[in-house]
Each structure stands twice: as structure tokens, then as C-alpha cells.
Amino acid sequence: MMQKKHESDLTRKEKWQLEREKVASMSWKKRIEYFFTYYKWVLVVAVAVIALGVFGVNWYKNLQKEELLNVVIVNSSAPSTENLNQDLRKALKIKDKNQIITIDTSVYTGEGNQTTYNSTMKLSVVMGARTADIFVCDKETFATYNQDGVFLSVEELMGSEFCEEHAEEVGENYMLANQSKLAEEYGIVGYEDAYIGVFSYTEHREHAKAFVEFLFE
């Protein structure tokens, strides 16, 4: 009886029943073709809504995060910085999960290849945007970026007592990381003459100082 009625005369329930019967009589291939023909835009809208929802949640989470310190380590030999990060959080007494320490070991320099080119571009962006607080690198790389006023004076940051205590490891605006925990305990740097410099523009001077104290305690 239902199929003899004009479609416009069918109730919503009858239309749904007719739709089910129509789909049930199709092969799987035909069902898929039918679905994409009649419900393509429904699927597109659903995917768009889900994507916007995921983006919104991630955006909100990132909005809540506060970066307390950003450390760039060039040519790192460590497979992971997780232990260093966790120990730093304890040393700096950071308990809020939304307060983060970033340790970036993705920058590599060396022979002229794509990785080196990408790293050079990344360093330029990082320094231009002033997002990094601390720079750990080899002697040659430090000399490349050590222009007037780029790095803080160690005495200004750490005080004269620290400089006297670590006289053999301290220069005017750098500290040698070779004898610090970065090399000895965490294996973050495996090259000789590893330099630590703190950018003069840093807004996290106290955390940068605490980072250095932690490394040389």
C-alpha cells in the first residue's frame, strides 16, 4: 500500500521505511554509490563540524598554556629530553601542568644540506620572533650569532659569586656546558666546547638563571 502512494503523501515514518527497503534491495556497491550521491554534503558538513570542534578544543588548551622557558639546543645527541624536562620542573618547582618548559633539539648545523638549511631558517625565525630564552650550541655557531648585545652578560645574569666559583667555565656572555649536567648527566650535548648563552631580550630571566644554577649545582 505504501509504495502505491505518491511520495509527497507519505508520512515521515513511511518515507523512512521506503528508504530502508530501497537501500536493502541494493548491492553493497550500489549502496555506497547511493550514499555518496545523496548524503555527500551531509558527510562533508559532519567532517567539517568535527574538525572545527577538534581545532577549537586544541586552541583553547593552547591558550591556557604558559611557557616559562624555551631552550634551543643545537646538534643535540640525546634521543629524548624528557628526563631533563621533568627534573627541571622539579628544580623550578613547577606544578601547574599548563606551565611548560620547551627544550627544542630539532636544530642541526653542519654540511650544506636541506636539514642545515631548514635549521638556519628556523633559528632566524626563532631569534626574530624572540621566542627562545637560552641557546646551547658549539663554538662556531655561537660565534656566528654572538653579535653586540645578543646575549646577556653572565655576571649580569648570575652575579659575580657564580662567575668566580665557575671561573674556568664562564666567559663574558657564555658558559661552557661541557662540565655541566647537560653533558655529564643527560647526554644532551656530545661535542666539545658546548656554549650556553642567554638571549638579552628574554622575559624569563629568573627562570633562565634557575636553569643555569640547576645545570652547574
Side-chain angles (χ1 to χ4, degrees):
M1 291 291 293
M2 187 188 306
Q3 294 181 348
K4 292 181 180 180
K5 287 185 180 182
H6 192 277
E7 188 171 342
S8 62
D9 298 328
L10 297 177
T11 64
R12 183 177 296 180
K13 183 177 180 180
E14 288 173 334
K15 288 179 180 179
W16 175 243
Q17 181 63 32
L18 185 62
E19 186 78 3
R20 287 183 61 187
E21 291 175 359
K22 185 191 299 183
V23 173
S25 65
M26 296 178 181
S27 65
W28 279 106
K29 183 178 179 181
K30 289 290 184 181
R31 289 181 189 180
I32 294 172
E33 291 175 354
Y34 180 82
F35 178 82
F36 279 103
T37 300
Y38 291 95
Y39 297 100
K40 176 173 61 178
W41 290 111
V42 174
L43 182 62
V44 169
V45 170
V47 170
V49 168
I50 292 171
L52 283 173
V54 171
F55 172 80
V57 170
N58 289 335
W59 177 80
Y60 177 78
K61 286 182 177 179
N62 289 331
L63 199 63
Q64 306 307 305
K65 293 187 183 300
E66 178 189 7
E67 188 175 66
L68 300 183
L69 195 65
N70 186 305
V71 184
V72 174
I73 303 177
V74 177
N75 296 335
S76 172
S77 55
S80 171
T81 60
E82 183 64 26
N83 290 339
L84 172 60
N85 203 310
Q86 291 301 319
D87 289 348
L88 269 174
R89 291 183 67 85
K90 291 177 184 176
L92 273 60
K93 298 179 181 179
I94 301 170
K95 295 181 179 179
D96 188 339
K97 65 180 181 180
N98 288 320
Q99 293 181 318
I100 62 173
I101 296 173
T102 300
I103 302 176
D104 185 355
T105 58
S106 65
V107 177
Y108 292 90
T109 60
E111 298 297 326
N113 52 38
Q114 189 64 37
T115 300
T116 299
Y117 174 78
N118 292 340
S119 293
T120 301
M121 293 299 295
K122 181 174 182 176
L123 276 177
S124 299
V125 171
V126 165
M127 294 177 71
R130 299 190 170 190
T131 55
D133 301 297
I134 297 175
F135 195 47
V136 182
C137 61
D138 57 86
K139 184 177 182 179
E140 184 178 345
T141 302
F142 188 84
T144 299
Y145 293 96
N146 185 25
Q147 301 172 13
D148 290 342
V150 171
F151 297 105
L152 275 175
S153 158
V154 177
E155 185 172 358
E156 180 184 348
L157 177 70
M158 304 302 300
S160 57
E161 186 176 334
F162 177 90
C163 293
E164 290 172 7
E165 185 179 346
H166 301 278
E168 294 183 359
E169 300 148 343
V170 170
E172 181 183 352
N173 57 0
Y174 66 86
M175 294 142 283
L176 290 174
N178 304 53
Q179 304 303 317
S180 75
K181 290 180 181 178
L182 278 181
E184 295 183 345
E185 219 171 290
Y186 299 101
I188 300 293
V189 289
Y191 44 85
E192 294 182 1
D193 295 328
Y195 283 55
I196 302 173
V198 177
F199 289 111
S200 57
Y201 58 71
T202 180
E203 296 180 358
H204 305 124
R205 188 174 291 202
E206 287 304 311
H207 289 120
K209 180 180 179 181
F211 172 82
V212 174
E213 289 173 341
F214 168 77
L215 293 183
F216 288 92
E217 67 181 6

